[in-house]
Amino acid sequence: MSAARVGVVTFPGTLDDQDAARAVRLAGAEAVPLWHADHDLKGVDAVFLPGGFSYGDYLRCGAISRFSPLMTELIPAAQAGLPVLGTCNGFQILCEAHLLPGALTRNEGLHYICRDQRIRVESTRTAWTSDFADGQEIVLPIKHGEGRYVADAATLAALEGEGRVVFRYAGGNPNGSLNDIAGIANEAGNVVGLMPHPEHAVEDLTGAPSVDGRGFFTSILKRLVNA
Amino acid sequence: MARVIVDVMLKPEILDPQGQAIARALPRLGFSGVSEVRQGKRFELELDGPADEAALSEVRKMAETLLANTVIEDFAISIAE
C-alpha cells in the first residue's frame, strides 16, 4: 500500500511549508510540494495551506494568493470534498477564497503575538480533528498580527449552532476573536482553518510546547487510509 | 481617459483598532475635538477610456472581487475631477 499523499502549498512569502512537510512525513505520509503558479494538484489526497506572508500580505492577508493558479484548482476540489487544512495565513486564504465564512482582521491590541497558547478542541467531527477528544485542551504556538476572527451575527450563530467552531482559545483570548474562535470548519468538515500552528508542535527536538500538533496529521491519515 | 476612485472602509460594526490607536494619538500631539477615527484604503484607477456606465460597472466588479472584502468592508466609487 502506498503512503497517503498530502500536498503542501508554497506561495511567494510562505514561511511554514518546510515545517508542514516535515510534520506530514513524521506522521507517515508523503509530503507533495505544490507551487502557487501551477494549475496542478498532483493528485494529492489532502492539502495543507501553511502560514507565512504570502504576496507580502499586500491588499489584505490572503487576498492575492486566493486568485493564484493553484487556488483556482484547489477551490473546486475543496468544495467537492478534498480535505484542506489552513493554518494562520492559510486560514486567511481560506476565508478570502470563501471556502470558510468570515474574515481575519488586525489583532485587537494591534501587537503581533508570538507565544504558546492553550486551545480547546470543540469539534472532533472534522477530517483533521477526529483523533482528539471533544473538549480536550491542547497547546500550540500562535504567531500572527491579523488573527481576530470576525463574522456577522447570522454567520456566528450558524457556526455555533452547527458545531463548526472547531477550536476556541482557552485561558484568555489573545487577539479579540469573536466568541474566542481560534478555528472553524466548513459544513462538510473537510475544510478546516485555524490561527495556531500544529506543524510547529510535532516533536520535542525543536523546543515545541507540546506535540499536540501530531493529532491533526494522525486524524487526516486515518481518514485517508479508511477512505 | 478618466480617473476613478474606490474608497474602501471597514463596515461600521467591525472593530478598527488602527483607527482607535490614531484617535488616541491625536490628543497626545495636541489635537483636540476628534471623537472617532476610522482608517480605510483609497484606490486610484486610471482608465484607458471614459468613465462611462460600462467602465464603472467593471470597476464595481473589480471592487467586489479584489479591492474590498465585502465580508468586512464597504466600498464607494467616485470619478475624480
Side-chain angles (χ1 to χ4, degrees), chain A residues 12 44 57 119 157 191 210 224:
Chain A
V44 294
D57 279 350
I119 292 138
V191 179
S210 74
L224 295 177

Side-chain angles (χ1 to χ4, degrees), chain B residues 24-37:
Chain B
R24 284 194 300 271
L26 290 174
R28 287 202 303 272
L29 301 172
F31 297 105
S32 61
V34 176
S35 58
E36 189 184 6
V37 176

